[in-house]
Amino acid sequence: MKTATVLPLLLLLLLLLLPVFIQSDDNLIIQICKKTPFRDLCISSLNSSAPTDVKGLATIIAQRVLENATDNLNYIQGLIKQAPDPQQERALANCAELYIPVVKYELPQAIDALCKGHYGFANYGIADVGKQADACEKGFSGSAKSPLTDRNKLVRSLSDIAVAIISILAKMF
């Protein structure tokens, strides 16, 4: 008889406390994202993932940088095949040369360093990704308008968010 009354009480307690746990995780995301340069983008990038600790949030946003950089590289490679003129083709090829090492080496190494607690190395690598996105954008000049502006800005913004979160994390240790 005791078990029959305890189980419903435990379920009721769980149902009452679950929103508190979820809310505290959401609050962590909001608190951390307020300290980044792009608060709304940070929140939207992290809300779809399982809330976690600051290191977990840093890892998730670093993964978002890698996902978007990889998407950009694939998009660039597709555009190269359709480039309307040699000037744009050269600019796109330059962007591909900038994104290839970022996607294949730099970001995976930075994410690995982040997971191992080497925050300085992770920060350096992820910050460089934003610089490469800027360099890609600057490669388009004159009549060759960049078809990558919004994509490069997104990678740069995500990179800046990741750097800010990793800096917060580094200060905690």
Side-chain angles (χ1 to χ4, degrees), residues 14-98:
L14 180 63
L15 288 173
L16 291 173
L17 291 178
L18 187 60
V20 173
F21 292 127
I22 292 171
Q23 183 180 11
S24 68
D25 287 339
D26 285 345
N27 285 339
L28 175 63
I29 291 171
I30 291 168
Q31 288 172 357
I32 294 299
C33 288
K34 281 182 181 178
K35 298 175 184 177
T36 69
F38 304 99
R39 178 182 177 260
D40 293 338
L41 177 60
C42 177
I43 291 170
S44 67
S45 296
L46 292 173
N47 266 347
S48 63
S49 54
T52 183
D53 59 359
V54 178
K55 185 175 182 179
L57 296 177
T59 304
I60 291 166
I61 203 74
Q63 288 288 346
R64 298 280 188 272
V65 176
L66 178 58
E67 291 165 7
N68 280 274
T70 301
D71 185 51
N72 278 7
L73 177 58
N74 293 334
Y75 186 70
I76 291 164
Q77 290 170 335
L79 289 177
I80 289 172
K81 296 172 187 172
Q82 309 168 23
D85 61 67
Q87 186 180 1
Q88 188 174 44
E89 185 177 354
R90 278 191 300 277
L92 288 166
N94 179 59
C95 286
E97 288 178 19
L98 293 168

